[in-house]
Amino acid sequence: MDKGKKRSAVLVGCNYSGTQYELHGCINDVRAMREALVGRFGFEEGQVEVLTDEPGSPVMPTGANIRAALGRMVDRAEPGDVLFFHYSGHGTRIPSPRPVFPFKKGEAIVPCDFNLITDMDFRHLVNRLPKGATLTILSDSCHSGGLIDKEKEQVGPSAAPALRGGSGTSLPSSAAPKHIPFQALLQHLSSLTQITTSDIGTHLLETFGAEASLRFRLPPLEAASFGPLKSDEGILLSGCQANETSADMSPTAAEGGKAYGAFSNAVQTVLKEESERKLSNREVVVRAREVLRKQGFEQHPCLYCSDENADESFLGQHDDEEDGVPC
């Protein structure tokens, strides 16, 4: 590994325990990813920050806390550094607030306090990276395709035909979508603000103020012009297409018993199957698609990044190999 490069990660798992939106595998997903980062990809334990909503967690994965952790990681980054964000939890889609684009929707993740982090927030983080540093986002959530606003699609519904159909088997009864419908979000936030409006931005700004997403704090024209820089080092591996859901699995004891996110588990399967060689970002996504197809899932992971980064190794693993660090 190049000794001048740092590797830093923020891992977030939200199970929403005790709520009607409860999931079961998200915390397990980030624990498994932490082991892979340290054991295979050369991340130091002190450079991996984990936020979960399990009881007794010292820092809950609220919108403000996740943004703060990501902001610290980007602020500390230097040219050439490898940054990674893994999220496992609910996702949602947000209607456009502008009447001229009634069918356009944005993508967002749903922290434990419902203070949404949107595609525009992730675009802002990528635009802040120092030259040569990369930020890889792996989001195991519904509607995660396009989670970095205006990022170029490399594997997805436009760049490559989606794989249709599964293996002919039905999904296990333990599968649940990692999705909170927009109307449910609106109803929850309305109960907090007691304001009668269908504009979710109004509710988020009233509840969270300056800690709300940039999508709702920026004037509409400024938000519309918020795009990628020429040197774009954002890399998104999404668990599904923007119009799809991602599955959370809660197998019975007879089936193995340990809950997991379908996409996170597929990535771990691919990494274990190819433990002796580096994998490109494109290969990880294509192989994960194949794993999910064989398991019967109707979700199609996607890759969004520059042409160059599509074929770069996932989390820069070739740097480890060149310096003889075990992978």
CSV table of all heavy atoms in Angstrom, one decimal, residues 205-248:
chain,number,residue,atom,x,y,z
A,205,LEU,N,-37.4,21.2,7.3
A,205,LEU,CA,-36.8,22.5,7.7
A,205,LEU,C,-37.3,22.9,9.1
A,205,LEU,O,-36.6,23.4,9.9
A,205,LEU,CB,-37.0,23.6,6.7
A,205,LEU,CG,-36.2,23.4,5.4
A,205,LEU,CD1,-36.8,24.4,4.3
A,205,LEU,CD2,-34.8,23.7,5.6
A,206,GLU,N,-38.6,22.7,9.3
A,206,GLU,CA,-39.2,23.1,10.6
A,206,GLU,C,-38.7,22.2,11.7
A,206,GLU,O,-38.5,22.7,12.8
A,206,GLU,CB,-40.8,22.9,10.5
A,206,GLU,CG,-41.5,23.1,11.8
A,206,GLU,CD,-41.5,24.6,12.2
A,206,GLU,OE1,-41.2,25.5,11.4
A,206,GLU,OE2,-41.8,24.9,13.4
A,207,THR,N,-38.5,20.9,11.4
A,207,THR,CA,-38.0,20.0,12.4
A,207,THR,C,-36.5,20.0,12.7
A,207,THR,O,-36.1,20.0,13.8
A,207,THR,CB,-38.4,18.5,12.0
A,207,THR,OG1,-39.8,18.5,11.8
A,207,THR,CG2,-38.1,17.5,13.1
A,208,PHE,N,-35.7,20.1,11.6
A,208,PHE,CA,-34.3,20.0,11.7
A,208,PHE,C,-33.5,21.3,11.4
A,208,PHE,O,-32.3,21.3,11.6
A,208,PHE,CB,-33.8,18.9,10.8
A,208,PHE,CG,-34.4,17.5,11.1
A,208,PHE,CD1,-35.4,17.0,10.3
A,208,PHE,CD2,-34.1,16.9,12.3
A,208,PHE,CE1,-36.0,15.7,10.6
A,208,PHE,CE2,-34.6,15.6,12.6
A,208,PHE,CZ,-35.6,15.1,11.8
A,209,GLY,N,-34.1,22.3,10.9
A,209,GLY,CA,-33.5,23.6,10.6
A,209,GLY,C,-32.3,23.4,9.7
A,209,GLY,O,-32.3,22.8,8.6
A,210,ALA,N,-31.1,24.0,10.2
A,210,ALA,CA,-29.9,24.0,9.4
A,210,ALA,C,-29.3,22.6,9.2
A,210,ALA,O,-28.4,22.4,8.4
A,210,ALA,CB,-28.9,24.9,10.1
A,211,GLU,N,-29.8,21.6,10.0
A,211,GLU,CA,-29.3,20.2,9.8
A,211,GLU,C,-30.1,19.5,8.8
A,211,GLU,O,-29.8,18.3,8.5
A,211,GLU,CB,-29.4,19.5,11.2
A,211,GLU,CG,-28.5,20.1,12.2
A,211,GLU,CD,-28.6,19.4,13.6
A,211,GLU,OE1,-29.6,18.7,13.8
A,211,GLU,OE2,-27.6,19.6,14.4
A,212,ALA,N,-31.1,20.1,8.1
A,212,ALA,CA,-31.8,19.4,7.0
A,212,ALA,C,-31.0,19.4,5.8
A,212,ALA,O,-29.9,20.1,5.6
A,212,ALA,CB,-33.1,20.2,6.8
A,213,SER,N,-31.4,18.6,4.8
A,213,SER,CA,-30.7,18.4,3.6
A,213,SER,C,-30.5,19.7,2.8
A,213,SER,O,-31.4,20.5,2.8
A,213,SER,CB,-31.4,17.3,2.7
A,213,SER,OG,-30.9,17.3,1.4
A,214,LEU,N,-29.4,19.8,2.0
A,214,LEU,CA,-29.2,20.9,1.1
A,214,LEU,C,-30.3,21.0,0.1
A,214,LEU,O,-30.7,22.1,-0.4
A,214,LEU,CB,-27.9,20.7,0.4
A,214,LEU,CG,-26.6,21.0,1.1
A,214,LEU,CD1,-25.4,20.6,0.2
A,214,LEU,CD2,-26.5,22.5,1.3
A,215,ARG,N,-30.9,19.8,-0.3
A,215,ARG,CA,-32.0,19.8,-1.3
A,215,ARG,C,-33.1,20.7,-0.8
A,215,ARG,O,-33.8,21.3,-1.7
A,215,ARG,CB,-32.5,18.4,-1.5
A,215,ARG,CG,-33.7,18.3,-2.4
A,215,ARG,CD,-34.0,16.9,-2.8
A,215,ARG,NE,-33.0,16.3,-3.7
A,215,ARG,CZ,-33.0,16.5,-5.0
A,215,ARG,NH1,-33.9,17.2,-5.6
A,215,ARG,NH2,-32.1,15.9,-5.7
A,216,PHE,N,-33.3,20.9,0.5
A,216,PHE,CA,-34.5,21.7,1.0
A,216,PHE,C,-34.0,23.1,1.5
A,216,PHE,O,-34.8,24.0,1.7
A,216,PHE,CB,-35.2,20.9,2.1
A,216,PHE,CG,-35.5,19.5,1.7
A,216,PHE,CD1,-34.9,18.5,2.3
A,216,PHE,CD2,-36.4,19.3,0.7
A,216,PHE,CE1,-35.2,17.2,2.0
A,216,PHE,CE2,-36.7,18.0,0.3
A,216,PHE,CZ,-36.1,16.9,1.0
A,217,ARG,N,-32.7,23.3,1.7
A,217,ARG,CA,-32.2,24.5,2.2
A,217,ARG,C,-31.8,25.5,1.1
A,217,ARG,O,-31.8,26.7,1.2
A,217,ARG,CB,-31.0,24.3,3.1
A,217,ARG,CG,-31.5,23.7,4.4
A,217,ARG,CD,-30.3,23.7,5.5
A,217,ARG,NE,-29.3,22.7,5.2
A,217,ARG,CZ,-28.0,22.9,5.0
A,217,ARG,NH1,-27.6,24.2,4.9
A,217,ARG,NH2,-27.2,21.9,4.8
A,218,LEU,N,-31.3,24.9,-0.1
A,218,LEU,CA,-30.9,25.8,-1.2
A,218,LEU,C,-32.1,26.3,-2.0
A,218,LEU,O,-33.1,25.7,-2.2
A,218,LEU,CB,-30.0,25.0,-2.1
A,218,LEU,CG,-28.6,24.6,-1.6
A,218,LEU,CD1,-27.9,23.8,-2.7
A,218,LEU,CD2,-27.8,25.8,-1.3
A,219,PRO,N,-32.0,27.6,-2.5
A,219,PRO,CA,-33.0,28.1,-3.4
A,219,PRO,C,-33.1,27.2,-4.6
A,219,PRO,O,-32.1,26.6,-5.1
A,219,PRO,CB,-32.5,29.5,-3.8
A,219,PRO,CG,-31.5,29.8,-2.8
A,219,PRO,CD,-30.9,28.5,-2.3
A,220,PRO,N,-34.3,27.0,-5.2
A,220,PRO,CA,-34.6,26.1,-6.3
A,220,PRO,C,-33.6,26.2,-7.5
A,220,PRO,O,-33.1,25.2,-8.0
A,220,PRO,CB,-36.0,26.4,-6.7
A,220,PRO,CG,-36.6,26.9,-5.5
A,220,PRO,CD,-35.6,27.6,-4.8
A,221,LEU,N,-33.3,27.4,-7.9
A,221,LEU,CA,-32.4,27.6,-9.1
A,221,LEU,C,-31.0,27.2,-8.7
A,221,LEU,O,-30.3,26.6,-9.6
A,221,LEU,CB,-32.5,29.1,-9.5
A,221,LEU,CG,-33.7,29.5,-10.2
A,221,LEU,CD1,-33.7,31.0,-10.6
A,221,LEU,CD2,-34.0,28.7,-11.5
A,222,GLU,N,-30.6,27.5,-7.5
A,222,GLU,CA,-29.2,27.1,-7.1
A,222,GLU,C,-29.1,25.6,-7.0
A,222,GLU,O,-28.1,24.9,-7.4
A,222,GLU,CB,-28.8,27.7,-5.8
A,222,GLU,CG,-27.4,27.5,-5.4
A,222,GLU,CD,-27.0,28.2,-4.1
A,222,GLU,OE1,-27.8,29.1,-3.7
A,222,GLU,OE2,-26.0,27.8,-3.5
A,223,ALA,N,-30.2,24.9,-6.5
A,223,ALA,CA,-30.2,23.5,-6.4
A,223,ALA,C,-30.2,22.8,-7.7
A,223,ALA,O,-29.5,21.8,-8.0
A,223,ALA,CB,-31.4,23.1,-5.6
A,224,ALA,N,-30.9,23.4,-8.7
A,224,ALA,CA,-30.9,22.8,-10.0
A,224,ALA,C,-29.6,22.9,-10.7
A,224,ALA,O,-29.3,22.0,-11.6
A,224,ALA,CB,-32.0,23.6,-10.9
A,225,SER,N,-28.8,23.9,-10.4
A,225,SER,CA,-27.5,24.0,-11.1
A,225,SER,C,-26.3,23.3,-10.4
A,225,SER,O,-25.2,23.3,-10.8
A,225,SER,CB,-27.1,25.5,-11.2
A,225,SER,OG,-27.0,26.1,-9.9
A,226,PHE,N,-26.7,22.6,-9.3
A,226,PHE,CA,-25.7,21.9,-8.4
A,226,PHE,C,-25.3,20.6,-9.1
A,226,PHE,O,-26.0,19.6,-9.1
A,226,PHE,CB,-26.3,21.6,-7.1
A,226,PHE,CG,-25.3,21.5,-6.0
A,226,PHE,CD1,-24.7,22.6,-5.5
A,226,PHE,CD2,-25.1,20.3,-5.4
A,226,PHE,CE1,-23.8,22.5,-4.4
A,226,PHE,CE2,-24.2,20.2,-4.3
A,226,PHE,CZ,-23.6,21.3,-3.8
A,227,GLY,N,-24.1,20.6,-9.7
A,227,GLY,CA,-23.7,19.4,-10.5
A,227,GLY,C,-22.3,19.0,-10.2
A,227,GLY,O,-21.6,19.5,-9.4
A,228,PRO,N,-21.8,18.0,-11.0
A,228,PRO,CA,-20.5,17.4,-10.8
A,228,PRO,C,-19.4,18.3,-11.3
A,228,PRO,O,-19.6,19.1,-12.2
A,228,PRO,CB,-20.5,16.1,-11.6
A,228,PRO,CG,-21.5,16.3,-12.6
A,228,PRO,CD,-22.6,17.2,-12.0
A,229,LEU,N,-18.2,18.2,-10.6
A,229,LEU,CA,-17.0,19.0,-11.1
A,229,LEU,C,-16.4,18.2,-12.2
A,229,LEU,O,-16.7,17.0,-12.5
A,229,LEU,CB,-16.0,19.1,-9.9
A,229,LEU,CG,-16.6,19.9,-8.7
A,229,LEU,CD1,-15.5,19.9,-7.6
A,229,LEU,CD2,-17.0,21.3,-9.1
A,230,LYS,N,-15.5,18.8,-12.9
A,230,LYS,CA,-14.8,18.1,-14.0
A,230,LYS,C,-14.0,16.9,-13.5
A,230,LYS,O,-14.0,15.8,-14.2
A,230,LYS,CB,-13.9,19.1,-14.8
A,230,LYS,CG,-14.6,20.1,-15.6
A,230,LYS,CD,-13.7,21.0,-16.4
A,230,LYS,CE,-14.4,22.0,-17.2
A,230,LYS,NZ,-13.5,22.9,-18.0
A,231,SER,N,-13.4,17.0,-12.4
A,231,SER,CA,-12.6,15.9,-11.8
A,231,SER,C,-13.6,15.3,-10.8
A,231,SER,O,-13.6,15.7,-9.6
A,231,SER,CB,-11.3,16.4,-11.2
A,231,SER,OG,-10.7,15.3,-10.6
A,232,ASP,N,-14.3,14.2,-11.2
A,232,ASP,CA,-15.3,13.6,-10.3
A,232,ASP,C,-14.8,12.3,-9.8
A,232,ASP,O,-14.6,11.4,-10.6
A,232,ASP,CB,-16.6,13.5,-11.1
A,232,ASP,CG,-17.8,13.0,-10.3
A,232,ASP,OD1,-17.6,12.6,-9.2
A,232,ASP,OD2,-18.9,13.2,-10.8
A,233,GLU,N,-14.7,12.2,-8.5
A,233,GLU,CA,-14.1,11.0,-7.9
A,233,GLU,C,-15.1,10.3,-7.0
A,233,GLU,O,-14.8,9.6,-6.0
A,233,GLU,CB,-12.8,11.3,-7.1
A,233,GLU,CG,-11.7,11.8,-8.0
A,233,GLU,CD,-11.2,10.8,-9.0
A,233,GLU,OE1,-11.5,9.6,-8.9
A,233,GLU,OE2,-10.5,11.2,-9.9
A,234,GLY,N,-16.4,10.5,-7.3
A,234,GLY,CA,-17.5,9.8,-6.6
A,234,GLY,C,-17.7,8.4,-7.3
A,234,GLY,O,-17.8,8.3,-8.5
A,235,ILE,N,-17.9,7.4,-6.5
A,235,ILE,CA,-18.2,6.1,-7.0
A,235,ILE,C,-19.4,5.5,-6.2
A,235,ILE,O,-19.3,5.4,-5.0
A,235,ILE,CB,-17.0,5.1,-6.8
A,235,ILE,CG1,-15.8,5.7,-7.5
A,235,ILE,CG2,-17.3,3.7,-7.3
A,235,ILE,CD1,-14.5,5.0,-7.2
A,236,LEU,N,-20.5,5.2,-6.8
A,236,LEU,CA,-21.7,4.7,-6.2
A,236,LEU,C,-22.0,3.2,-6.6
A,236,LEU,O,-22.1,3.0,-7.8
A,236,LEU,CB,-22.9,5.5,-6.4
A,236,LEU,CG,-24.3,5.0,-6.0
A,236,LEU,CD1,-24.3,4.8,-4.5
A,236,LEU,CD2,-25.4,5.8,-6.5
A,237,LEU,N,-22.0,2.3,-5.6
A,237,LEU,CA,-22.5,1.0,-5.9
A,237,LEU,C,-23.8,0.9,-5.2
A,237,LEU,O,-23.9,0.9,-3.9
A,237,LEU,CB,-21.5,-0.1,-5.3
A,237,LEU,CG,-20.2,-0.2,-6.0
A,237,LEU,CD1,-19.2,0.9,-5.6
A,237,LEU,CD2,-19.6,-1.6,-5.7
A,238,SER,N,-24.9,0.9,-5.9
A,238,SER,CA,-26.2,0.9,-5.3
A,238,SER,C,-26.8,-0.5,-5.3
A,238,SER,O,-26.6,-1.4,-6.2
A,238,SER,CB,-27.2,1.8,-6.1
A,238,SER,OG,-27.4,1.3,-7.4
A,239,GLY,N,-27.7,-0.8,-4.3
A,239,GLY,CA,-28.3,-2.1,-4.1
A,239,GLY,C,-29.3,-2.4,-5.1
A,239,GLY,O,-29.7,-3.6,-5.3
A,240,CYS,N,-29.8,-1.4,-5.8
A,240,CYS,CA,-30.9,-1.6,-6.8
A,240,CYS,C,-31.0,-0.4,-7.7
A,240,CYS,O,-30.3,0.6,-7.5
A,240,CYS,CB,-32.2,-1.8,-6.1
A,240,CYS,SG,-32.7,-0.4,-5.0
A,241,GLN,N,-31.9,-0.4,-8.7
A,241,GLN,CA,-32.1,0.7,-9.5
A,241,GLN,C,-33.0,1.7,-8.8
A,241,GLN,O,-33.6,1.4,-7.7
A,241,GLN,CB,-32.8,0.2,-10.8
A,241,GLN,CG,-32.0,-0.7,-11.6
A,241,GLN,CD,-32.7,-1.3,-12.8
A,241,GLN,OE1,-32.1,-2.1,-13.6
A,241,GLN,NE2,-34.0,-1.0,-13.0
A,242,ALA,N,-33.1,2.9,-9.3
A,242,ALA,CA,-33.8,4.0,-8.6
A,242,ALA,C,-35.3,3.7,-8.4
A,242,ALA,O,-35.9,4.2,-7.4
A,242,ALA,CB,-33.6,5.3,-9.3
A,243,ASN,N,-35.8,2.9,-9.3
A,243,ASN,CA,-37.3,2.5,-9.2
A,243,ASN,C,-37.5,1.2,-8.5
A,243,ASN,O,-38.6,0.7,-8.5
A,243,ASN,CB,-37.9,2.5,-10.6
A,243,ASN,CG,-37.3,1.5,-11.5
A,243,ASN,OD1,-36.2,1.0,-11.2
A,243,ASN,ND2,-38.0,1.1,-12.5
A,244,GLU,N,-36.5,0.6,-7.9
A,244,GLU,CA,-36.6,-0.7,-7.3
A,244,GLU,C,-36.4,-0.6,-5.7
A,244,GLU,O,-36.0,0.3,-5.2
A,244,GLU,CB,-35.6,-1.6,-7.8
A,244,GLU,CG,-35.8,-2.0,-9.3
A,244,GLU,CD,-34.7,-3.0,-9.8
A,244,GLU,OE1,-33.6,-2.9,-9.3
A,244,GLU,OE2,-35.0,-3.7,-10.7
A,245,THR,N,-36.8,-1.8,-5.1
A,245,THR,CA,-36.5,-1.9,-3.7
A,245,THR,C,-35.4,-2.9,-3.5
A,245,THR,O,-35.1,-3.8,-4.3
A,245,THR,CB,-37.8,-2.4,-3.0
A,245,THR,OG1,-38.2,-3.7,-3.5
A,245,THR,CG2,-38.9,-1.4,-3.1
A,246,SER,N,-34.7,-2.8,-2.3
A,246,SER,CA,-33.7,-3.7,-1.9
A,246,SER,C,-34.3,-4.6,-0.7
A,246,SER,O,-35.0,-4.1,0.1
A,246,SER,CB,-32.4,-3.0,-1.4
A,246,SER,OG,-31.8,-2.4,-2.5
A,247,ALA,N,-33.8,-5.8,-0.6
A,247,ALA,CA,-34.4,-6.7,0.3
A,247,ALA,C,-33.6,-6.8,1.6
A,247,ALA,O,-32.3,-6.8,1.6
A,247,ALA,CB,-34.5,-8.1,-0.3
A,248,ASP,N,-34.3,-6.9,2.7
A,248,ASP,CA,-33.7,-7.2,4.0
A,248,ASP,C,-34.2,-8.6,4.4
A,248,ASP,O,-35.4,-9.0,4.3
A,248,ASP,CB,-34.2,-6.2,5.1
A,248,ASP,CG,-33.7,-6.5,6.5
A,248,ASP,OD1,-32.5,-6.3,6.7
A,248,ASP,OD2,-34.4,-6.9,7.4
